Amino acid sequence: MQGMRYGAIALLEKAMKKSASKKFLIDGYPRELSQAFAFEQTVGQCDFVLYFDCPEEEMRKRLLARAETSGRADDNAETIIKRFHTFRERSVPVVDFYKTLGKVREISAVGDPDDIFNNRVSPCFDPEVVFVVGGPGSGKGTVCGKLASEFGY
C-alpha cells in the first residue's frame, strides 16, 4: 500500500510539472496524514485545505439519489457506511492537522449547490488584500506588476 501512496504522489508531481498552470486544485487528496506529509516533503506545501462540512445523513441522501442514475456499484447503503467510517478514521485527521496550521477554509456544504458555490466557495478564492512595502526603487512596482499578471491581483 505504501508504494501505491507514493506512486500517486509521483503521478501528481509529474502532472503538475507538465502543466503550464501554477495553481492546482487536488480533489479528494490527501486521504490520510501520511499522504499529506509525503506530498509536502516531495512536491510542496498546500496553501489551504478547502473542507466541505456536511452531515452524514445529508451525504447519504445525496449518494443514494446519485445511485439512481449513476450506475456506480459503490453507491449503496452498505458501502456508503464503510466509506463514511474510512473518511472519519483517515481523512478527518488530515483536516484536524491542517486546522492546527490555520490552513483550513471550512464550508458548510448544506443547501443549494449554486448558493454554496457562489456565496461560500468563491469568496475563498478571491484575491486577498496584500500590502507591498518597500523604499523607492526597491522594485516593488515591477514585482507588483508581475504578481498582478501572474496571480490575478
Side-chain angles (χ1 to χ4, degrees):
M1 187 66 141
Q2 186 173 359
M4 182 182 290
R5 244 181 283 161
Y6 294 108
I9 292 169
L11 290 173
L12 283 169
E13 182 177 27
K14 183 178 179 182
M16 290 169 75
K17 284 181 177 178
K18 286 175 100 174
S19 174
S21 181
K22 300 283 186 212
K23 296 180 180 184
F24 302 96
L25 292 171
I26 305 174
D27 182 6
Y29 190 88
R31 293 186 187 267
E32 57 188 57
L33 276 172
S34 62
Q35 290 176 333
F37 297 149
F39 183 90
E40 293 206 356
Q41 288 174 353
T42 60
V43 180
Q45 303 287 310
C46 78
D47 294 311
F48 69 91
V49 173
L50 185 62
Y51 173 54
F52 289 92
D53 185 28
C54 192
E56 285 187 10
E57 187 53 38
E58 177 68 19
M59 292 187 290
R60 180 179 292 108
K61 284 192 279 188
R62 291 177 185 181
L63 290 169
L64 291 173
R66 180 177 78 177
E68 295 174 10
T69 59
S70 73
R72 287 181 55 157
D74 61 346
D75 283 346
N76 63 67
E78 183 179 328
T79 304
I80 290 168
I81 290 169
K82 290 177 185 176
R83 290 167 64 196
F84 289 160
H85 175 77
T86 300
F87 177 76
R88 283 190 308 272
E89 295 295 314
R90 295 188 181 165
S91 298
V92 169
V94 172
V95 175
D96 291 342
F97 170 73
Y98 281 105
K99 279 182 180 179
T100 67
L101 301 177
K103 288 188 169 188
V104 173
R105 297 184 187 181
E106 190 168 331
I107 303 295
S108 171
V110 178
D112 175 69
D114 288 334
D115 177 60
I116 293 168
F117 180 79
N118 293 326
N119 298 313
R120 300 178 204 166
V121 174
S122 290
C124 289
F125 290 91
D126 286 344
E128 296 179 17
V129 174
V130 178
F131 293 132
V132 180
V133 179
S138 65
K140 67 183 179 304
T142 302
V143 171
C144 283
K146 288 181 181 180
L147 287 170
S149 64
E150 180 81 23
F151 298 105
Y153 283 97

